[in-house]
mmCIF file of all heavy atoms in Angstrom:
data_model
loop_
_atom_site.group_PDB
_atom_site.id
_atom_site.type_symbol
_atom_site.label_atom_id
_atom_site.label_comp_id
_atom_site.label_asym_id
_atom_site.label_seq_id
_atom_site.Cartn_x
_atom_site.Cartn_y
_atom_site.Cartn_z
ATOM 1 N N VAL B 46 83.108 113.918 100.227
ATOM 2 C CA VAL B 46 81.688 113.742 99.926
ATOM 3 C C VAL B 46 81.568 113.645 98.407
ATOM 4 O O VAL B 46 81.940 114.584 97.702
ATOM 5 C CB VAL B 46 80.838 114.928 100.445
ATOM 6 C CG1 VAL B 46 79.369 114.725 100.102
ATOM 7 C CG2 VAL B 46 81.019 115.109 101.941
ATOM 8 N N ASP B 47 81.079 112.520 97.940
ATOM 9 C CA ASP B 47 81.048 112.232 96.498
ATOM 10 C C ASP B 47 82.448 112.452 95.908
ATOM 11 O O ASP B 47 83.382 111.832 96.338
ATOM 12 C CB ASP B 47 79.998 113.092 95.789
ATOM 13 C CG ASP B 47 78.604 112.808 96.328
ATOM 14 O OD1 ASP B 47 78.358 111.652 96.735
ATOM 15 O OD2 ASP B 47 77.781 113.729 96.357
ATOM 16 N N ASN B 48 82.541 113.407 94.974
ATOM 17 C CA ASN B 48 83.865 113.637 94.380
ATOM 18 C C ASN B 48 84.556 114.872 94.935
ATOM 19 O O ASN B 48 85.437 115.434 94.317
ATOM 20 C CB ASN B 48 83.741 113.793 92.865
ATOM 21 C CG ASN B 48 83.315 112.513 92.210
ATOM 22 O OD1 ASN B 48 83.696 111.441 92.674
ATOM 23 N ND2 ASN B 48 82.507 112.615 91.179
ATOM 24 N N HIS B 49 84.103 115.283 96.093
ATOM 25 C CA HIS B 49 84.643 116.524 96.645
ATOM 26 C C HIS B 49 85.476 116.267 97.889
ATOM 27 O O HIS B 49 85.042 115.560 98.796
ATOM 28 C CB HIS B 49 83.506 117.497 96.947
ATOM 29 C CG HIS B 49 82.594 117.677 95.775
ATOM 30 N ND1 HIS B 49 82.998 118.329 94.633
ATOM 31 C CD2 HIS B 49 81.333 117.247 95.551
ATOM 32 C CE1 HIS B 49 81.997 118.315 93.755
ATOM 33 N NE2 HIS B 49 80.989 117.653 94.283
ATOM 34 N N LEU B 50 86.665 116.863 97.875
ATOM 35 C CA LEU B 50 87.593 116.687 98.983
ATOM 36 C C LEU B 50 87.630 117.962 99.814
ATOM 37 O O LEU B 50 87.703 119.072 99.281
ATOM 38 C CB LEU B 50 88.985 116.374 98.416
ATOM 39 C CG LEU B 50 90.177 116.395 99.365
ATOM 40 C CD1 LEU B 50 90.049 115.306 100.421
ATOM 41 C CD2 LEU B 50 91.467 116.206 98.577
ATOM 42 N N GLY B 51 87.582 117.797 101.127
ATOM 43 C CA GLY B 51 87.656 118.970 101.986
ATOM 44 C C GLY B 51 88.604 118.718 103.146
ATOM 45 O O GLY B 51 88.874 117.578 103.522
ATOM 46 N N ILE B 52 89.135 119.814 103.702
ATOM 47 C CA ILE B 52 89.970 119.686 104.887
ATOM 48 C C ILE B 52 89.539 120.759 105.878
ATOM 49 O O ILE B 52 89.224 121.891 105.489
ATOM 50 C CB ILE B 52 91.480 119.775 104.548
ATOM 51 C CG1 ILE B 52 92.334 119.482 105.776
ATOM 52 C CG2 ILE B 52 91.835 121.129 103.958
ATOM 53 C CD1 ILE B 52 93.804 119.230 105.443
ATOM 54 N N GLU B 53 89.476 120.385 107.155
ATOM 55 C CA GLU B 53 88.993 121.336 108.157
ATOM 56 C C GLU B 53 90.066 122.372 108.479
ATOM 57 O O GLU B 53 91.240 122.051 108.624
ATOM 58 C CB GLU B 53 88.562 120.581 109.419
ATOM 59 C CG GLU B 53 87.325 119.716 109.145
ATOM 60 C CD GLU B 53 86.918 118.878 110.352
ATOM 61 O OE1 GLU B 53 87.621 118.901 111.383
ATOM 62 O OE2 GLU B 53 85.882 118.188 110.248
ATOM 63 N N SER B 54 89.603 123.601 108.624
ATOM 64 C CA SER B 54 90.552 124.718 108.697
ATOM 65 C C SER B 54 91.444 124.693 109.948
ATOM 66 O O SER B 54 92.578 125.144 109.905
ATOM 67 C CB SER B 54 89.808 126.053 108.626
ATOM 68 O OG SER B 54 88.847 126.104 109.658
ATOM 69 N N TRP B 55 90.933 124.135 111.023
ATOM 70 C CA TRP B 55 91.726 124.199 112.265
ATOM 71 C C TRP B 55 93.080 123.504 112.143
ATOM 72 O O TRP B 55 94.044 123.877 112.801
ATOM 73 C CB TRP B 55 90.950 123.592 113.445
ATOM 74 C CG TRP B 55 90.667 122.113 113.308
ATOM 75 C CD1 TRP B 55 89.560 121.543 112.766
ATOM 76 C CD2 TRP B 55 91.532 121.045 113.710
ATOM 77 N NE1 TRP B 55 89.661 120.178 112.790
ATOM 78 C CE2 TRP B 55 90.873 119.837 113.372
ATOM 79 C CE3 TRP B 55 92.787 120.973 114.321
ATOM 80 C CZ2 TRP B 55 91.426 118.587 113.609
ATOM 81 C CZ3 TRP B 55 93.339 119.717 114.560
ATOM 82 C CH2 TRP B 55 92.665 118.538 114.199
ATOM 83 N N CYS B 56 93.169 122.502 111.274
ATOM 84 C CA CYS B 56 94.414 121.720 111.219
ATOM 85 C C CYS B 56 95.426 122.279 110.215
ATOM 86 O O CYS B 56 96.570 121.834 110.164
ATOM 87 C CB CYS B 56 94.106 120.262 110.908
ATOM 88 S SG CYS B 56 93.728 119.959 109.185
ATOM 89 N N LEU B 57 94.999 123.284 109.418
ATOM 90 C CA LEU B 57 95.879 123.768 108.338
ATOM 91 C C LEU B 57 97.259 124.168 108.829
ATOM 92 O O LEU B 57 98.275 123.815 108.234
ATOM 93 C CB LEU B 57 95.245 124.968 107.623
ATOM 94 C CG LEU B 57 94.034 124.679 106.749
ATOM 95 C CD1 LEU B 57 93.592 125.963 106.056
ATOM 96 C CD2 LEU B 57 94.354 123.601 105.719
ATOM 97 N N LYS B 58 97.283 124.928 109.911
ATOM 98 C CA LYS B 58 98.583 125.460 110.319
ATOM 99 C C LYS B 58 99.547 124.353 110.739
ATOM 100 O O LYS B 58 100.738 124.421 110.471
ATOM 101 C CB LYS B 58 98.448 126.560 111.372
ATOM 102 C CG LYS B 58 97.844 126.159 112.672
ATOM 103 C CD LYS B 58 97.884 127.367 113.614
ATOM 104 C CE LYS B 58 97.097 127.066 114.875
ATOM 105 N NZ LYS B 58 96.882 128.260 115.674
ATOM 106 N N TYR B 59 98.994 123.303 111.364
ATOM 107 C CA TYR B 59 99.881 122.201 111.763
ATOM 108 C C TYR B 59 100.373 121.442 110.533
ATOM 109 O O TYR B 59 101.545 121.185 110.347
ATOM 110 C CB TYR B 59 99.146 121.235 112.697
ATOM 111 C CG TYR B 59 98.525 121.926 113.891
ATOM 112 C CD1 TYR B 59 97.145 122.143 113.945
ATOM 113 C CD2 TYR B 59 99.322 122.392 114.928
ATOM 114 C CE1 TYR B 59 96.574 122.790 115.020
ATOM 115 C CE2 TYR B 59 98.764 123.045 116.018
ATOM 116 C CZ TYR B 59 97.382 123.245 116.052
ATOM 117 O OH TYR B 59 96.827 123.902 117.106
ATOM 118 N N VAL B 60 99.397 121.092 109.692
ATOM 119 C CA VAL B 60 99.708 120.244 108.551
ATOM 120 C C VAL B 60 100.591 120.984 107.539
ATOM 121 O O VAL B 60 101.564 120.441 107.028
ATOM 122 C CB VAL B 60 98.407 119.751 107.881
ATOM 123 C CG1 VAL B 60 98.709 118.945 106.640
ATOM 124 C CG2 VAL B 60 97.595 118.918 108.859
ATOM 125 N N TYR B 61 100.254 122.249 107.287
ATOM 126 C CA TYR B 61 101.050 122.985 106.309
ATOM 127 C C TYR B 61 102.483 123.177 106.805
ATOM 128 O O TYR B 61 103.449 122.934 106.074
ATOM 129 C CB TYR B 61 100.431 124.346 105.957
ATOM 130 C CG TYR B 61 101.278 125.063 104.926
ATOM 131 C CD1 TYR B 61 101.218 124.672 103.585
ATOM 132 C CD2 TYR B 61 102.183 126.045 105.283
ATOM 133 C CE1 TYR B 61 102.034 125.268 102.636
ATOM 134 C CE2 TYR B 61 103.007 126.645 104.343
ATOM 135 C CZ TYR B 61 102.924 126.251 103.018
ATOM 136 O OH TYR B 61 103.745 126.826 102.082
ATOM 137 N N GLN B 62 102.604 123.603 108.057
ATOM 138 C CA GLN B 62 103.959 123.843 108.581
ATOM 139 C C GLN B 62 104.786 122.560 108.530
ATOM 140 O O GLN B 62 105.978 122.588 108.213
ATOM 141 C CB GLN B 62 103.890 124.342 110.030
ATOM 142 C CG GLN B 62 103.085 125.626 110.146
ATOM 143 C CD GLN B 62 103.792 126.689 110.980
ATOM 144 O OE1 GLN B 62 104.922 126.993 110.726
ATOM 145 N NE2 GLN B 62 103.111 127.260 111.953
ATOM 146 N N TYR B 63 104.133 121.447 108.816
ATOM 147 C CA TYR B 63 104.842 120.165 108.816
ATOM 148 C C TYR B 63 105.298 119.790 107.399
ATOM 149 O O TYR B 63 106.463 119.460 107.165
ATOM 150 C CB TYR B 63 103.935 119.071 109.396
ATOM 151 C CG TYR B 63 104.597 117.714 109.427
ATOM 152 C CD1 TYR B 63 105.462 117.375 110.460
ATOM 153 C CD2 TYR B 63 104.364 116.778 108.405
ATOM 154 C CE1 TYR B 63 106.089 116.134 110.501
ATOM 155 C CE2 TYR B 63 104.990 115.539 108.430
ATOM 156 C CZ TYR B 63 105.847 115.215 109.476
ATOM 157 O OH TYR B 63 106.460 113.992 109.488
#
Side-chain angles (χ1 to χ4, degrees):
Chain B
V46 179
D47 299 329
N48 293 326
H49 309 291
L50 169 64
I52 186 166
E53 293 176 356
S54 56
W55 65 268
C56 77
L57 289 183
K58 63 176 172 191
Y59 306 105
V60 176
Y61 181 77
Q62 301 227 52
Y63 180 82

